[in-house]
Amino acid sequence: MFVRTATASTTAAALLGAGALLLPAERPEAPERQTAPGVVAHRGASGYAPENTLAAVDAADALGIDWVENDVHRTRDGVLVVLHDTDLKRTTDAEQVFPDRAPWAVKDFTAAELAKLDAGSWFGAQFTGARIPTLTQFLNRLERNRQKLLLEIKSPATYPGIERDIIRVLGRSGWLDRSHVRNRLVIQSFGADSVKQVHTLRPDITTGFLGTPAVADLPSYAAFTDQINPSYATIGADYVAAVQRLKGPHGKRLRVNTWTVNKAADAVKARDFGVDGIITNFPDVVRDATS
């Protein structure tokens, strides 16, 4: 507040009184605040539990995180499983359990064989005995927790027809009804042809392309994908705006979910770029930094 002295005519002074007139100070406009982006738990809350396990799903749920990202492969006998790498060496004890099966590629093992592997002790002794979940098991856990899924098709060229298999499992698990498709499911891949195939098979499903296409190429992607989901290291505000100026196959503007952002300062920068979502191993850190 500040004091302005009355200097008007005698008549006006009489009407206003002899005292000073108090007027509100002019305040500068506050800077526009960016909307908090959505937060996606990368491979579950993988900063706190072994990635892509049911424990990581539950860790995200315990933090109050709705969206979970995962990675899907196919076994030798056609079962869809949730695991990031194309081989089993980094996150399981496959080399000890099956010493003669190098290079331990997921596609060379049956689902029953994968079920014997420990997918948790590499992360911490308290997770010893965690298993590689099937996609069905993963979906059931998300459903129990009322969570949502950003599903990544890994190495689609390695698994011809995996898009159709994924859609079949989603349907059998109740994930292709109107509510799930509209509000709780996105399918993404680094493979543009794989994303196109999902869009062809089920045009109602929201899809995402993983990568940073050139701005000039974005309109061609907008014909079959609803999201452009790039690495954080490859984007800035101009790129995000260029994506968001376009509309995808469902007539809505393209969205941008960036990965993998684990530090609070980087999360704030990503938010200020205008991204719609942030994919992170530490979803609580990102949420707290950007809200």
Side-chain angles (χ1 to χ4, degrees):
M1 303 287 282
F2 70 95
V3 177
R4 177 181 295 171
T5 303
T7 60
S9 67
T10 304
T11 302
L15 291 173
L16 293 172
L21 176 64
L22 299 180
L23 297 177
E26 294 181 3
R27 296 178 182 175
E29 291 186 6
E32 184 178 351
R33 181 184 176 88
Q34 291 287 351
T35 302
V39 179
V40 182
H42 185 232
R43 309 176 196 171
S46 56
Y48 302 108
E51 62 185 55
N52 278 319
T53 64
L54 299 184
V57 174
D58 289 343
D61 183 53
L63 294 171
I65 303 300
D66 290 335
W67 280 97
V68 172
E69 186 263 359
N70 75 355
D71 307 282
V72 177
H73 294 263
R74 189 172 64 201
T75 66
R76 190 176 73 189
D77 53 342
V79 177
L80 299 180
V81 293
V82 178
L83 187 79
H84 179 266
D85 298 358
T86 55
D87 66 67
L88 301 161
K89 293 182 288 185
R90 182 174 63 88
T91 59
T92 79
D93 57 350
E95 292 181 80
Q96 289 73 46
V97 177
F98 299 106
D100 300 322
R101 299 283 293 276
W104 298 280
V106 177
K107 66 181 180 61
D108 294 333
F109 288 78
T110 66
E113 289 172 331
L114 293 187
K116 298 176 182 178
L117 300 178
D118 180 341
S121 60
W122 69 274
F123 189 89
Q126 69 271 37
F127 296 107
T128 298
R131 302 302 176 192
I132 299 170
T134 65
L135 178 57
T136 298
Q137 291 169 336
F138 202 91
L139 292 169
N140 289 342
R141 184 58 59 92
L142 290 172
E143 188 66 27
R144 189 195 74 175
N145 294 346
R146 302 300 299 168
Q147 289 168 290
K148 306 174 184 182
L149 177 61
L150 175 58
L151 184 156
E152 181 182 344
I153 303 173
K154 296 298 292 187
S155 303
T158 304
Y159 311 106
I162 191 173
E163 299 84 6
R164 193 176 297 274
D165 293 339
I166 287 170
I167 289 172
R168 184 180 301 115
V169 171
L170 288 168
R172 289 175 178 172
S173 300
W175 274 72
L176 291 182
D177 62 18
R178 183 180 178 87
S179 176
H180 285 79
V181 168
R182 292 188 66 179
N183 304 306
R184 296 177 59 190
L185 177 66
V186 178
I187 298 179
Q188 65 175 358
S189 179
F190 283 100
D193 288 341
S194 187
V195 179
K196 289 179 184 178
Q197 179 68 357
V198 171
H199 180 64
T200 298
L201 292 170
R202 284 295 300 244
D204 55 333
I205 291 177
T206 299
T207 56
F209 175 74
L210 280 161
T212 314
V215 170
D217 295 333
L218 288 172
S220 64
Y221 285 85
F224 62 86
T225 193
D226 303 277
Q227 301 179 357
I228 299 294
N229 297 339
S231 165
Y232 167 72
T234 66
I235 64 169
D238 289 346
Y239 185 81
V240 173
V243 174
Q244 293 171 340
R245 279 195 292 269
L246 299 173
K247 289 186 177 181
H250 294 110
K252 300 179 180 179
R253 73 165 178 82
L254 293 185
R255 295 173 63 85
V256 177
N257 297 312
T258 190
W259 49 271
T260 303
V261 181
N262 292 325
K263 296 179 180 179
D266 291 338
V268 171
K269 289 181 182 178
R271 180 198 66 192
D272 293 345
F273 289 159
V275 301
D276 299 286
I278 296 176
I279 302 170
T280 173
N281 299 339
F282 298 94
D284 55 331
V285 173
V286 169
R287 178 192 58 203
D288 294 346
T290 59
S291 59

